[in-house]
Amino acid sequence: MRFARSLKGRLAIIAAIAIVVTGTVVLLFTYFMARSIIREQVFKSMDGVVSRTRTEIELTTRNISSVAEALAGEQQLRQDLEAYLAAGADRSAITAGMTAILSAYGPAGSAFKTVVVTTTDGTPVASTGNTQGTIAATGTDQALVSDLKPQHPVLAFGLDNNNVVIALAVPVTQVSTDRLLGAVIMRAPSPDLESELQDTSGLGTSGKILLSDFVSQKVSVLSFSKPGEKGAIARLPLDSDLPPVRAARGEKGEGEFTGLESKKVVASYDFVPQPVWGVTATQDSSEAFSPIYELRNVSIIVILVLFIGGLVLAYLIARTISRPLIELQKGVKAFAGGELATRVRISDGVEVTALADEFNNMAERLTDLYENLEKKVEERTIELQEANARLKQLDDLKSDFVSMASHELRSPMASMKMGVSTVLREMVGPLNDDQKTMLEIAERNIDRLTKLTSELLDLTKMEAGQLDIIPDDVDVLELAREVATADEPLAQHKGVALEVLANGGPLVVRCDRDRIYQVIQNLMGNALNFTDEGSITLSVEKDGESVKVCVRDTGPGIPFESVGTIFDKWSRAHSETISEKRGTGLGLAICKGIVEAHRGRISVRSEVGKGTEFCFTLPLRGLQ
Amino acid sequence: MSDKKKTILIVDDNADIVTTYRVVLDRMGYSVVVARNGIECLDMIDEVKPDLVILDVLLPGLSGSEVCRSIKETAKTTAIPVIAITASVSGDTRKRMSEVGADDFLLKPIDVSDLNRVIKQFL
């Protein structure tokens, strides 16, 4: 069973089917061989019948002929017939001697039923038992005599009350010249021949034995349909190709013929030289070849059964091969589709089961790997989350620290500022120049520190997303004018022209007034800080759906490589070259944060040696 | 105090600090010369021939340590004491300046009495 279930076994079965096909071919071959042998057997059997019948005919005719020839040789008969003819058919010329001879051969003395003496045209002259009276001429007799030649008796067959009768015409010649005078026609029943013709043993139930003979330009054929039944005589034309005619013509042969009694028959035929007759044995093809037909039918059935059986078997085998493969394919598909629990159970197939087992092992390992991977991803995720949380904590700590430090720094700086400014303004007594200078430096740096502190606080809030924006309806034009007014004294002091293009009616935007002020102030502060000569232009205009504020200066410009990072915190464009103008590096970063918190954009254009322009926009619709 | 005023060279880029040094050192009786960066310092040191250099470590361009090394490696100037001023509390800067030959250090913010004491060590 194990073998039959393996692919190898199945292939063996397929090979067996191939052998079955080969068997079919062999069967067909055998069929044709057998057919040939059966045909041979049939013809051999028929030949036997023909030969037997021929022997009987020869025996019968030899007996009759010897008697007839003896009669024809009687001197008295020949003389009397000559005298009769010479006398002009005078029956008185018939002597008693001739009558006695006829009587001696007649029914009383031999097997002959009738003995008749005729002239060459068949006219009867004398007969047994009636030598004196008139004898009616018969057609048969005339036919017999018409074929007669000297030295050659003619034998014919016929039926008399369904009994086979043989008629013999023996030529009678003139004693001196051997001229043909007439004939002695003798008729005798032939029960031996009759029984022989009726004995169709070896020819089955449809067998027949036919006698054929030339009579009056035709071929006369005698046959019995069945043993014991009435015989029949048929006449066939001379040019017929049927076996009895061929036999009568002197041919010998065998074969299948159609036409005799409108049936297909198998026939064997032979010529009997003495008495120039043909013998034919026939049997219906359907009967003679019935074993062949049976064999053929059986073969066809067997082949059909083999074919159908082979097909069914092949289908079943193919199904047993393909079913486990389909199972396996389904399993693989399901697994590939993400059903990791998929396992394939195949028990009917050695190789495919092994394959399925391997698949299951593989699926097991992949599932393990996958689960491991998931576990690892989970672990890593947790680690990352923890790290993230720690970072967040640190960041919060930093923010808290900066925020707290900024607040805590304000108080001491406030008292320092207060103290220093009080002394500097000489409210507690006069100061000399050096004292003034030192206190001015102190005050300036306290202011610087205060600014840095608040910027740090803003930045921290911005980074924490806690920059407080308190929206209000603000006229940006007015706001810009305010900043410019505040910066005017410094500009005048530096000798820089300050141009403000912010005239006209109100341009109201919803924004945080203090923050936007801080931005403009910061940009203006930078411009003033870096511009030593030329001008600074502050412009405010409506630009589509936004308000655009620009601060343009004629300062040194920002080096190309610094433009990209100018809004980053701690970025200083001129940290190396113009150190005394160093800002905190936080201003622009804070400006950017404020503008973007208002959903605006800030940008810079600069050319070294020519100047810088900072612009920012605020959406007119502003904050809701 | 000797017959002639001692000269101190201040190397710093911050104007406020420079002003403060000027006022303080002038009061202490020293002559003050200012260089705004390292290059300026090295350019003028031969001509000025200071008795002491107060050098800010964080300078634009040429760094403080490079200026110090240059002073100490030049035969004419190697004897001039250099006081390094640093804002960094870490020991790295101090160590680096020590390697290039700085004679003493002062940490920002500078106490005037400390400044006085350190200068007095050399002058």
Side-chain angles (χ1 to χ4, degrees):
Chain A
M1 280 314 285
R2 193 176 158 81
F3 174 75
R5 278 194 269 132
S6 71
L7 283 179
K8 215 188 286 177
R10 287 171 192 156
L11 287 175
I13 291 167
I14 288 168
I17 292 168
I19 290 167
V20 165
V21 171
T22 315
T24 305
V25 173
V26 171
L27 187 70
L28 283 174
F29 181 73
T30 311
Y31 160 74
F32 284 109
M33 285 287 287
R35 188 180 153 200
S36 160
I37 289 166
I38 287 167
R39 283 176 76 103
E40 209 171 293
Q41 285 293 327
V42 166
F43 287 123
K44 199 177 169 188
S45 172
M46 291 186 128
D47 285 350
V49 172
V50 168
S51 175
R52 194 179 72 206
T53 311
R54 183 186 152 153
T55 307
E56 186 57 40
I57 291 166
E58 281 172 342
L59 191 68
T60 305
T61 56
R62 201 178 303 130
N63 289 338
I64 294 170
S65 296
S66 60
V67 175
E69 275 164 24
L71 177 60
E74 292 286 343
Q75 286 292 321
Q76 190 61 54
L77 191 142
R78 293 166 78 181
Q79 285 169 359
D80 280 7
L81 186 55
E82 190 178 353
Y84 168 80
L85 291 170
D90 184 4
R91 290 184 62 128
S92 60
I94 306 297
T95 64
M98 179 173 164
T99 310
I101 291 162
L102 290 177
S103 297
Y105 287 92
S110 76
F112 293 107
K113 199 177 170 187
T114 57
V115 179
V116 181
V117 177
T118 68
T119 59
T120 50
D121 59 359
T123 311
V125 178
S127 67
T128 51
N130 186 16
T131 49
Q132 301 299 323
T134 305
I135 304 165
T138 68
T140 316
D141 290 348
Q142 285 173 335
L144 278 170
V145 173
S146 69
D147 293 338
L148 204 64
K149 290 188 183 80
Q151 308 304 328
H152 289 285
V154 174
L155 265 166
F157 48 77
L159 285 169
D160 182 14
N161 290 325
N162 205 35
N163 292 318
V164 174
V165 175
I166 293 177
L168 178 64
V170 186
V172 178
T173 54
Q174 194 175 11
V175 178
S176 54
T177 62
D178 216 19
R179 185 173 62 91
L180 186 66
L181 299 172
V184 175
I185 296 170
M186 309 167 81
R187 293 171 196 277
S190 183
D192 290 346
L193 186 60
E194 186 179 312
S195 63
E196 186 63 43
L197 290 177
Q198 290 181 349
D199 178 12
T200 56
S201 58
L203 296 177
T205 56
S206 64
K208 275 183 189 173
I209 299 167
L210 311 175
L211 273 183
S212 51
D213 185 18
F214 285 103
V215 179
S216 306
Q217 308 302 313
K218 290 246 178 189
V219 175
S220 174
V221 180
L222 170 64
S223 64
F224 288 88
S225 52
K226 269 179 187 172
E229 286 191 6
K230 281 173 81 175
I233 287 183
R235 295 195 186 275
L236 295 174
L238 275 175
D239 57 355
S240 168
D241 225 15
L242 292 169
V245 181
R246 286 167 175 240
R249 275 204 299 257
E251 292 172 23
K252 176 178 169 67
E254 59 198 16
E256 246 187 315
F257 298 90
T258 309
L260 210 60
E261 296 178 31
S262 305
K263 279 194 286 188
K264 200 173 184 184
V265 296
V266 186
S268 175
Y269 54 90
D270 197 2
F271 174 63
V272 191
Q274 192 67 39
V276 203
W277 286 355
V279 179
T280 307
T282 69
Q283 191 178 2
D284 289 357
S285 289
S286 57
E287 189 188 21
F289 291 155
S290 64
I292 293 176
Y293 297 142
E294 275 169 30
L295 191 61
R296 187 189 65 190
N297 292 343
V298 168
S299 297
I300 288 169
I301 289 165
V302 168
I303 288 166
L304 278 175
V305 167
L306 281 177
F307 184 70
I308 292 165
L311 276 181
V312 170
L313 201 62
Y315 172 73
L316 291 175
I317 290 165
R319 215 174 60 156
T320 61
I321 292 171
S322 61
R323 196 172 47 201
L325 287 175
I326 288 167
E327 287 291 316
L328 189 60
Q329 182 257 341
K330 278 183 189 162
V332 171
K333 195 177 176 186
F335 188 79
E339 291 173 35
L340 298 185
T342 306
R343 296 293 180 273
V344 182
R345 307 261 171 262
I346 295 168
S347 53
D348 58 336
V350 178
E351 292 89 346
V352 183
T353 301
L355 193 58
D357 289 346
E358 283 304 319
F359 166 76
N360 289 338
N361 289 339
M362 184 197 73
E364 205 71 50
R365 286 197 296 273
L366 278 178
T367 308
D368 282 355
L369 278 175
Y370 185 76
E371 280 168 2
N372 259 328
L373 194 66
E374 281 203 325
K375 205 185 281 175
K376 273 185 183 166
V377 167
E378 210 168 298
E379 283 170 12
R380 293 282 186 280
T381 308
I382 289 167
E383 282 172 23
L384 277 175
Q385 282 169 347
E386 284 171 356
N388 226 359
R390 278 199 296 276
L391 280 176
K392 178 95 171 62
Q393 269 179 340
L394 278 175
D395 199 54
D396 288 351
L397 206 64
K398 187 202 78 176
S399 298
D400 288 351
F401 170 75
V402 172
S403 154
M404 198 183 71
S406 304
H407 281 294
E408 288 303 310
L409 282 168
R410 275 177 194 278
S411 316
M413 280 192 298
S415 47
M416 279 161 70
K417 167 85 176 175
M418 228 165 132
V420 169
S421 58
T422 306
V423 176
L424 186 59
R425 308 287 176 271
E426 297 182 313
M427 292 165 81
V428 289
L431 298 173
N432 63 31
D433 285 351
D434 279 350
Q435 286 167 334
K436 253 185 192 164
T437 305
M438 301 291 270
L439 286 175
E440 274 167 7
I441 289 170
E443 189 184 40
R444 194 155 58 238
N445 282 282
I446 287 165
D447 288 347
R448 197 172 127 84
L449 252 178
T450 309
K451 192 184 172 213
L452 182 65
T453 308
S454 48
E455 281 183 349
L456 264 177
L457 190 63
D458 283 349
L459 197 74
T460 310
K461 279 181 180 171
M462 225 169 68
E463 285 178 351
Q466 292 164 353
L467 192 68
D468 301 321
I469 302 289
I470 302 151
D472 195 5
D473 288 328
V474 179
D475 179 3
V476 183
L477 288 169
E478 178 59 37
L479 198 66
R481 285 196 289 267
E482 258 179 59
V483 179
T485 306
D487 286 337
E488 187 61 38
L490 183 58
Q492 271 185 4
H493 177 74
K494 288 193 77 170
V496 175
L498 185 59
E499 197 180 352
V500 182
L501 304 173
N503 300 314
L507 195 50
V508 178
V509 172
R510 192 154 180 83
C511 61
D512 187 318
R513 191 177 200 287
D514 292 345
R515 291 297 181 189
I516 297 306
Y517 186 93
Q518 187 184 346
V519 173
I520 299 172
Q521 190 186 39
N522 197 298
L523 296 178
M524 286 296 283
N526 281 343
L528 278 166
N529 196 14
F530 288 106
T531 309
D532 295 327
E533 54 185 11
S535 64
I536 292 167
T537 310
L538 170 61
S539 66
V540 180
E541 60 186 356
K542 197 174 160 208
D543 181 28
E545 294 297 306
S546 311
V547 170
K548 189 175 182 181
V549 181
C550 290
V551 177
R552 188 165 68 245
D553 66 41
T554 54
I558 303 165
F560 180 73
E561 62 270 18
S562 300
V563 171
T565 57
I566 197 74
F567 293 108
D568 295 349
K569 57 182 173 177
W570 310 114
S571 169
R572 293 190 191 98
H574 306 285
S575 59
E576 300 297 325
T577 51
I578 311 169
S579 57
E580 71 270 25
K581 290 173 181 173
R582 189 189 295 169
T584 59
L586 296 176
L588 285 174
I590 290 165
C591 287
K592 185 168 191 268
I594 291 168
V595 170
E596 285 177 358
H598 283 84
R599 295 188 201 142
R601 295 176 66 86
I602 189 164
S603 61
V604 62
R605 283 192 308 156
S606 184
E607 199 175 336
V608 175
K610 288 202 168 173
T612 305
E613 182 182 44
F614 281 95
C615 288
F616 72 92
T617 59
L618 292 175
L620 272 176
R621 283 197 286 165
L623 300 166
Q624 300 308 314
Chain B
M1 197 164 277
S2 61
D3 320 14
K4 200 188 164 208
K5 271 187 173 179
K6 301 280 187 185
T7 305
I8 295 177
L9 176 59
I10 311 270
V11 189
D12 202 310
D13 61 327
N14 187 304
D16 285 347
I17 293 212
V18 168
T19 310
T20 312
Y21 279 132
R22 261 190 207 284
V23 174
V24 170
L25 294 177
D26 191 53
R27 290 272 167 165
M28 285 180 184
Y30 302 113
S31 168
V32 175
V33 180
V34 174
R36 307 299 296 270
N37 54 52
I39 308 245
E40 220 177 284
C41 161
L42 296 179
D43 281 349
M44 63 172 59
I45 195 161
D46 273 350
E47 196 188 327
V48 174
K49 293 187 181 65
D51 299 292
L52 187 121
V53 176
I54 292 175
L55 177 67
D56 189 18
V57 173
L58 199 69
L59 286 173
L62 209 58
S63 79
S65 61
E66 283 167 324
V67 174
C68 184
R69 188 202 305 275
S70 183
I71 293 169
K72 290 298 176 183
E73 283 178 356
T74 309
K76 282 186 188 170
T77 57
T78 189
I80 303 170
V82 175
I83 297 167
I85 310 291
T86 169
S88 172
V89 290
S90 77
D92 282 0
T93 316
R94 193 178 265 260
K95 196 179 165 209
R96 195 172 64 246
M97 292 310 291
S98 194
E99 281 167 4
V100 295
D103 297 274
D104 209 336
F105 307 89
L106 279 174
L107 187 66
K108 288 183 188 174
I110 300 156
D111 190 298
V112 179
S113 54
D114 284 343
L115 180 66
N116 193 26
R117 178 176 52 78
V118 170
I119 292 172
K120 282 284 188 287
Q121 286 176 8
F122 301 103
L123 302 178

